[in-house]
Amino acid sequence: MSYYQEISLLPNADIGVYFLWQKLYQQIHIALVENKNADNASTIGVGFSEYNADKHSLGTKLQLFAEDEKSLEQLHCERWLNRLSDYVYIGQIKPVPEKLAGHACFKHIKLKGNKEKLARRRAKRKGETLQQALAHFEDFEEQPIKLPYINMSSQTSGQRFRLFIEKQAMEQPQTGLYSCYGLSNTTTVPLF
């Protein structure tokens, strides 16, 4: 990744940072969907320079990364974030600094679900009663996820979900594509 654009959240006493993340990221997701390639993937990745898993925090800065300046210009995030102009500061597109702190993948971690949800799914798939399916998951223990997340809403179904984000440091940069959330299990973004 050679270019980036940084977006800073400007929370205030009336509007908190978590609410702003929800509104900002929903718009960024829509922009990435509108600019996806033929493989339904994005050439633009996201980074969270203030990410802190111990504090379950994404911080207040979102970085958009692209291989070339033109990709970020075409995304035109100012247009997508126009209604949030009082709550976000959109920086200029700049070259990524030469001196880096490293590279990282920012991944979407999906929950396996709770016992009841898994049982309903199993009952439907296997033709079992709900009681039979619940018996199958009797020893199942939910693993709490202690990662930063953003509350999202599906634009197609209206369903609400948490987009859990994990940062994985990488030794070497890895090229590739990103999801339409700007996340990837293998493709890195620079850290600085």
Side-chain angles (χ1 to χ4, degrees):
M1 293 292 157
S2 302
Y3 289 87
Y4 78 101
Q5 187 170 26
E6 189 167 85
I7 302 167
S8 300
L9 299 176
L10 306 172
N12 61 40
D14 298 328
I15 298 182
V17 70
Y18 298 108
F19 182 78
L20 288 178
W21 268 120
Q22 178 183 349
K23 298 302 180 188
L24 167 68
Y25 215 78
Q26 194 74 45
Q27 291 303 112
I28 293 296
H29 169 59
I30 293 169
L32 293 175
V33 168
E34 289 293 320
N35 288 278
K36 65 186 176 186
N37 65 17
D39 297 325
N40 284 330
S42 175
T43 58
I44 296 174
V46 300
F48 304 88
S49 60
E50 297 174 345
Y51 183 96
N52 187 328
D54 294 333
K55 293 183 179 179
H56 314 294
S57 173
L58 295 170
T60 59
K61 297 191 184 304
L62 175 71
Q63 296 169 319
L64 303 172
F65 291 96
E67 200 54 54
D68 55 52
E69 192 173 0
K70 185 179 178 189
S71 296
L72 290 171
E73 288 170 353
Q74 286 177 334
L75 182 66
H76 194 54
C77 69
E78 293 85 358
R79 177 177 71 125
W80 296 99
L81 302 177
N82 185 38
R83 64 189 185 126
L84 299 174
S85 62
D86 290 343
Y87 308 105
V88 299
Y89 172 78
I90 303 168
Q92 298 296 315
I93 298 171
K94 298 178 183 175
V96 169
E98 288 185 30
K99 185 171 177 146
L100 299 176
H103 303 277
C105 290
F106 287 95
K107 306 175 177 191
H108 173 198
I109 302 297
K110 296 181 183 174
L111 292 176
K112 291 187 177 172
N114 62 35
K115 188 186 301 189
E116 290 77 20
K117 183 178 177 182
L118 292 171
R120 283 192 305 273
R121 212 166 135 212
R122 179 183 171 91
K124 188 175 181 180
R125 277 194 336 242
K126 302 256 184 187
E128 298 175 343
T129 67
L130 185 57
Q131 288 74 25
Q132 289 170 322
L134 280 168
H136 178 78
F137 292 104
E138 187 176 345
D139 296 330
F140 177 80
E141 290 191 32
E142 293 180 44
Q143 298 296 320
I145 293 190
K146 296 182 178 184
L147 291 173
Y149 65 88
I150 300 170
N151 287 315
M152 298 289 289
S153 296
S154 169
Q155 295 297 301
T156 52
S157 70
Q159 185 177 8
R160 297 182 58 77
F161 63 96
R162 289 180 176 174
L163 182 70
F164 286 96
I165 300 172
E166 178 182 60
K167 176 183 176 181
Q168 180 183 1
M170 303 288 277
E171 297 272 330
Q172 297 294 322
Q174 302 294 319
T175 59
L177 297 173
Y178 302 90
S179 72
C180 288
Y181 290 103
L183 305 170
S184 174
N185 289 343
T186 56
T187 306
T188 61
V189 294
L191 300 174
F192 50 91

